[in-house]
Amino acid sequence: MWDYTDKVRDHFFNPRNAGPLADANAVGEVGSIQCGDALRLSLKVDPESERILDASFQTFGCGSAIASSSALTEIIKGKTLDEALQISNQNIADFLDGLPPEKMHCSVMGREALQAAIANYRGEVWTDDHEEGAMVCKCFAVDSVLIENVVRANGLTTVEQVTQYTKAGGGCSSCHEGIEEILAKVCAQGGTEKIAAPDCAAPAVTVKPVTFGIPAAAPAAHPAPVAAAEPPKLTNFQRMRRIEMVVESIRPTLKRDHGDVEVVEIDGSNIFVRLQGACVGCMMEHATLGGIEQKLSEELGERVRVLPVSMMAAVRASV
């Protein structure tokens, strides 16, 4: 479990300014509800002073997303639009006495929603600065401009940190090389706002593809040496129980992002599952199935395929 501060818990269980804002004259929307993170920020701005008189939010996401959105509305109320634009995602995290590293992307989402709302008020078209051909992480639709901006603003130096702040690289991992190139570019250009160029080290890939683990039994204090032996072959019943155990160990991870999975049918090496909730239609669906498949193959000691239940008829027809 991640270590949440008392302030994060307070803003999650008792969110401030949640819900629609009836007389809002500025609205910013970021994220995708299909992948578990989306935020709508509404502002009431005084036309004469451009001061934010009120703010509210509607969030679809985890506890950190709700807490970050709640904190943001508290921070910006009473500020002018120009003052609000100076607020960084780190300011949001600091207001909450810190966020788990794996949840820093929630504060980045809040910062983007604020930029979008202010642009909406000023009649401007806000974009996420995506440039054609600059998409780095296809799993989470994160482009090079966003990664570079977040790296500079937060002093990031590793792929793992980039994943924590943007989600980029947390899926199939094929974009790690592209993230490394951006980190090297920022370092070569003088580093970040927090880390000067001489302190930049060559970024190391420390993030692995998404995997799901189950607790291992504690090792004996003084294990006796044993000769290597082939593991005993599982009976059909043992194999089914092992599959159920592994899937049950994975479900809490998916539920944290409002998703779920259930085993529908076991047909030899083909295991058909039904994804539910936010996992349905998500861009990470392929990576999720791949992670489950990898863990099952490891635990069963055999190569298996994890397929969506929608493919059951087609697979059986081809046999």
Side-chain angles (χ1 to χ4, degrees), residues 93-226:
D94 291 343
F95 183 89
L96 293 167
D97 294 335
L99 284 169
E102 297 86 354
K103 292 296 182 179
M104 282 301 294
H105 63 269
C106 296
S107 64
V108 174
M109 184 172 68
R111 160 73 177 168
E112 289 186 321
L114 177 60
Q115 293 175 320
I118 293 176
N120 175 253
Y121 175 80
R122 291 176 169 173
E124 302 169 352
V125 177
W126 181 84
T127 66
D128 60 1
D129 293 326
H130 172 68
E131 296 179 343
E132 188 67 30
M135 183 70 71
V136 176
C137 178
K138 294 181 180 179
C139 293
F140 290 105
V142 182
D143 61 86
S144 60
V145 175
L146 174 60
I147 294 175
E148 185 172 336
N149 288 342
V150 172
V151 166
R152 291 185 184 280
N154 296 280
L156 310 185
T157 58
T158 68
V159 175
E160 181 178 19
Q161 291 173 333
V162 171
T163 301
Q164 292 166 350
Y165 277 70
T166 68
K167 285 192 173 182
C172 67
S173 77
S174 64
C175 61
H176 285 186
E177 184 176 352
I179 296 173
E180 281 188 288
E181 291 175 358
I182 294 173
L183 287 165
K185 171 187 172 183
V186 172
C187 188
Q189 291 178 347
T192 67
E193 295 177 11
K194 292 188 176 182
I195 300 178
D199 296 325
C200 291
V205 177
T206 56
V207 175
K208 297 181 179 179
V210 176
T211 57
F212 307 95
I214 55 178
H222 300 287
V226 294

Side-chain angles (χ1 to χ4, degrees), residues 246-290:
V246 173
V247 172
E248 283 301 312
S249 74
I250 291 169
R251 293 182 65 206
T253 302
L254 299 180
K255 285 184 174 181
R256 280 199 292 268
D257 285 326
H258 304 279
D260 204 350
V261 63
E262 67 171 339
V263 177
V264 176
E265 180 66 271
I266 302 172
D267 187 0
S269 62
N270 295 323
I271 301 174
F272 297 95
V273 301
R274 178 181 289 112
L275 295 176
Q276 300 174 340
C279 290
V280 179
C282 175
M283 291 182 294
M284 284 296 297
E285 180 175 330
H286 179 73
T288 299
L289 292 173

Side-chain angles (χ1 to χ4, degrees), residues 232-250:
K233 183 176 177 62
L234 297 175
T235 66
N236 289 336
F237 178 77
Q238 291 173 329
R239 185 172 182 269
M240 290 172 59
R241 291 293 296 162
R242 182 67 62 85
I243 291 171
E244 290 176 356
M245 180 180 68
V246 173
V247 172
E248 283 301 312
S249 74
I250 291 169

